[in-house]
Amino acid sequence: MTRLTPKEAMLMAVEEGRKGAGHVSPNPLVGCVILDHEYHLLAKGYHARLGDLHAETAALAQVTDPTRLEGAHVFVTLEPCAHDGRQPACAKTLAALPIASVTYGVRDPNPLVSGQGEAILQAAGKQVILFGELRDELEELAEIFLLNMREGRPFVAVKVASSLDGRIALRDGSSRWITGPAARERVHYLRGCYDAVLTGAGTLLKDNPRLDARDPRFAGRARRLVVLDPQGRAAAAWPGSKAAEARPPEDVFWLTGKGMRAPEGTHHLELSLSKDGVFDIDEMLARLRAEGMHSVFVEAGARTVGGFLRAKRVDRLYLFLAPKLLGEGLGWTSGFEIASLPQAVSLASSRWSAVGGDFLISARPVFT
Ligand SMILES: NC(=O)c1ccc[n+]([C@@H]2O[C@H](COP(=O)([O-])OP(=O)(O)OC[C@H]3O[C@@H](n4cnc5c(N)ncnc54)[C@H](OP(=O)(O)O)[C@@H]3O)[C@@H](O)[C@H]2O)c1
């Protein structure tokens, strides 16, 4: 039996945690790996569903021989919880076991937990270690939850499917398809990882997209859809559209200016409009949060994406780049301008991968 290093164990815990994506909101994604006293793999687990076992207890449930917990080492991506909620407090559960140490990845910013999980374990004589490596992986795993806690607003992910020269559509608006089938399949998975998909009136009218999550991991789960339609100009086209057929109206949040119309049966949220006819992004996000949305996946044209960029409210960017040039056309940042080069938005923790014949950059934009 091979021994795992702490780094290998924590990386495995991160991979476990990812399996809960799209199923645990508003809870964080958490993974856990338990090694025996000689660092052999004993069990692993993750928080799979809201209300279900936490990662630590899910991993403990996999331990077939409890005597091997003597002197064991627990690796968990987030500080074990200290309060009894839908599940009993994990710190107390771990404290009662004959384990030697608990290594955790990120301190829980939740004031009900922060530092207290660690204190419970220390009081029980366990060695508690805040892991010093894999910062990007660990923060990214819990990023929705961490941002919700730290900033009190929904997390915003933006997806763009672009040519190498930054075009998301031709001048006539055609955009289907710029990227290949594998990239589009990945987008189905990503949509399912967030509480709602958000789009603009322009995309609904131009593309008539379904914007659902056709990925087996989300089978049978309707996705919420948020539509930005300040003048109510897309409302008439809604009945019979593919997006309307894909979900019941109660899963649709239609955002308009005051006194504008929204399709029947949808949640109609009326927001104030600036003199340029746009919503204030922070006000919009606060309204979505009040409706129970902790994260949104923006899939829209440049006008919507530009609004989020101008407001500095893009927390993750998924940029699918097709290795082709489209020449003159619609750029995805065209609604966004910076005054000088030092104000350029840089991308932190960016990861590149090939998805079919396309590239995917996943990164955290850093606004100055
Ligand atoms: N390749 C890709 O990844 C991709 C993805 C989606 C769309 N597209 C392409 O993008 C093109 C459509 O671009 P678009 O910019 O017109 O579409 P859009 O961004 O989907 O919709 C723009 C409209 O949404 C409303 N809106 C957006 N942000 C708002 C805000 N902050 N406040 C109030 N209203 C807001 C406005 O409606 P009003 O005009 O009524 O004021 C705005 O004109 C299409 O050709 C489509 O194929 C490409």
Side-chain angles (χ1 to χ4, degrees):
M1 224 196 285
T2 50
R3 289 164 192 246
L4 295 184
T5 64
K7 189 171 177 180
E8 286 167 336
M10 194 57 97
L11 209 46
M12 191 183 276
V14 169
E15 279 163 20
E16 281 296 295
R18 282 195 195 118
K19 295 179 188 168
H23 297 288
V24 300
S25 175
N27 280 357
L29 295 175
V30 187
C32 178
V33 164
I34 306 176
L35 305 184
D36 71 9
H37 71 288
E38 289 178 318
Y39 289 85
H40 297 131
L41 179 64
L42 199 52
K44 55 186 181 172
Y46 64 100
H47 184 33
R49 289 275 183 288
L50 186 66
D52 274 7
L53 295 180
H54 285 184
E56 297 91 325
T57 40
L60 284 168
Q62 300 300 313
V63 177
T64 46
D65 177 3
T67 62
R68 290 183 67 200
L69 286 171
E70 192 73 50
H73 304 282
V74 173
F75 293 84
V76 58
T77 56
L78 188 71
E79 181 180 359
C81 65
H83 62 294
D84 298 303
R86 292 182 186 93
Q87 293 289 329
C90 292
K92 293 179 195 165
T93 304
L94 293 173
L97 297 171
I99 56 170
S101 74
V102 176
T103 303
Y104 69 92
V106 179
R107 182 165 271 212
D108 194 325
N110 182 345
L112 286 173
V113 180
S114 192
Q116 296 179 44
E118 178 166 341
I120 290 171
L121 290 161
Q122 274 169 343
K126 312 300 175 198
Q127 188 188 11
V128 185
I129 302 158
L130 174 58
F131 199 58
E133 297 176 77
L134 301 172
R135 298 322 308 159
D136 285 350
E137 289 84 349
L138 287 159
E139 285 269 333
E140 182 178 335
L141 180 68
E143 66 185 358
I144 296 175
F145 174 78
L146 294 175
L147 183 120
N148 290 166
M149 286 288 164
R150 289 171 182 156
E151 299 193 23
R153 65 169 175 86
F155 184 95
V156 179
V158 170
K159 164 257 159 181
V160 174
S162 161
S163 63
L164 271 189
D165 49 349
R167 305 294 180 222
I168 57 165
L170 298 182
R171 226 202 293 251
D172 68 1
S174 354
S175 66
R176 302 185 140 192
W177 299 104
I178 293 175
T179 48
R184 302 204 298 274
E185 213 169 281
R186 181 69 65 88
V187 171
H188 279 286
Y189 168 68
L190 291 174
R191 285 175 188 155
C193 292
Y194 296 88
D195 284 353
V197 174
L198 182 150
T199 196
T203 297
L204 268 194
L205 291 169
K206 182 74 197 168
D207 295 350
N208 188 16
R210 279 168 64 165
L211 297 172
D212 57 354
R214 275 164 277 158
D215 182 286
R217 283 163 281 196
F218 304 112
R221 288 187 63 217
R223 309 312 305 181
R224 287 173 149 194
L225 179 69
V226 177
V227 179
L228 310 191
D229 188 20
Q231 315 301 331
R233 71 185 171 104
W238 177 254
S241 68
K242 289 185 187 164
E245 282 165 7
R247 54 181 61 72
E250 58 268 25
D251 282 345
V252 180
F253 293 76
W254 206 273
L255 274 52
T256 73
K258 306 262 193 279
M260 300 298 163
R261 58 180 291 234
E264 212 180 306
T266 61
H267 296 269
H268 185 188
L269 306 187
E270 290 181 289
L271 276 78
S272 45
L273 287 171
S274 71
K275 58 179 181 339
D276 303 324
V278 294
F279 303 129
D280 177 83
I281 297 286
D282 282 330
E283 185 194 343
M284 181 205 303
L285 289 174
R287 293 288 295 273
L288 297 180
R289 173 86 188 233
E291 296 292 338
M293 285 172 242
H294 293 80
S295 60
V296 291
F297 182 75
V298 177
E299 217 177 329
R303 276 183 272 188
T304 301
V305 172
F308 280 95
L309 285 169
R310 282 195 301 278
K312 304 183 181 181
R313 293 293 183 252
V314 180
D315 304 304
R316 177 148 300 275
L317 174 68
Y318 297 106
L319 178 57
F320 289 89
L321 278 178
K324 44 179 96 147
L325 304 177
L326 294 186
E328 292 294 336
L330 307 178
W332 64 274
T333 57
S334 51
F336 171 65
E337 199 177 338
I338 52 163
S340 65
L341 277 178
Q343 289 171 5
V345 179
S346 53
L347 298 182
S349 323
S350 54
R351 277 185 284 108
W352 283 80
S353 53
V355 182
D358 301 309
F359 304 105
L360 169 61
I361 301 174
S362 171
R364 195 165 45 78
V366 180
F367 296 89
T368 52

